[in-house]
């Protein structure tokens, strides 16, 4: 019989958000498509009047991360942050929670390369 961890709830679908995001990023074509998608997300809200991107070259410390540290330590590196002034609606949060089944996939007036995020 296979060994189960104490926190393991048993059988069920287990999907790592990091693995999904990694796969999604690998699907983006080169040449700035990722930036265009962020701008499109701001436009899709119908509420954003400005958006911006920031390149963060910092490497953040890993000593205060929860276990398993190895899984989270790789996320403490450089990043690109996107901001728009529309904020998140309940629908946006739900789209993030149900990644790969975004509400955008069902709405013709909203664009998105993959319909996987918000």
């Amino acid at each position: 019989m296979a060994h189960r961890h104490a926190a393991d709830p048993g059988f069920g679908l287990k999907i790592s958000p990091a693995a999904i995001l990694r796969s999604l990023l690998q699907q983006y074509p080169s040449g700035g498509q990722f930036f265009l998608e962020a701008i499109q997300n701001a436009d899709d809200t119908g509420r954003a009047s400005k958006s911006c991107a920031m390149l963060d070259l910092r490497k953040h410390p890993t000593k205060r991360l929860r276990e398993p540290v190895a899984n989270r330590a790789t996320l403490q590196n450089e990043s690109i942050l996107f901001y728009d002034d529309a904020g998140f609606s309940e629908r946006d949060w739900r789209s993030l929670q149900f990644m790969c089944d975004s509400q955008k996939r069902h709405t013709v007036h909203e664009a998105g390369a993959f319909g996987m995020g918000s």
Side-chain angles (χ1 to χ4, degrees):
M1 178 176 230
H3 174 72
R4 283 186 20 189
H5 296 276
D8 187 356
F11 181 79
L13 183 62
K14 296 169 183 67
I15 299 173
S16 163
I20 290 174
L21 289 171
R22 189 178 313 108
S23 175
L24 175 63
L25 290 173
Q26 289 171 349
Q27 293 177 47
Y28 271 93
S30 61
Q33 181 66 35
F34 193 73
F35 288 96
L36 296 174
E37 183 75 11
I39 293 167
Q40 186 63 56
N41 284 343
D43 184 59
D44 284 348
T45 68
R47 303 181 314 270
S49 64
K50 63 181 173 182
S51 64
C52 62
M54 180 180 84
L55 177 61
D56 183 355
L57 297 175
R58 297 176 292 174
K59 290 187 102 176
H60 299 280
T62 59
K63 57 187 165 188
R64 291 188 176 181
L65 295 176
R66 295 179 301 151
E67 294 294 332
V69 171
N71 293 347
R72 293 178 173 89
T74 58
L75 301 174
Q76 301 302 307
N77 295 320
E78 301 86 355
S79 63
I80 300 173
L81 307 168
F82 293 97
Y83 166 82
D84 67 63
D85 62 348
F88 273 76
S89 67
E90 264 315 300
R91 180 175 170 267
D92 296 331
W93 286 116
R94 288 194 54 77
S95 288
L96 284 173
Q97 289 175 306
F98 292 94
M99 195 175 288
C100 299
D101 192 22
S102 170
Q103 295 295 312
K104 281 187 180 183
R105 286 189 159 185
H106 311 292
T107 309
V108 294
H109 72 277
E110 292 178 308
F114 300 102
M116 292 184 158
S118 62

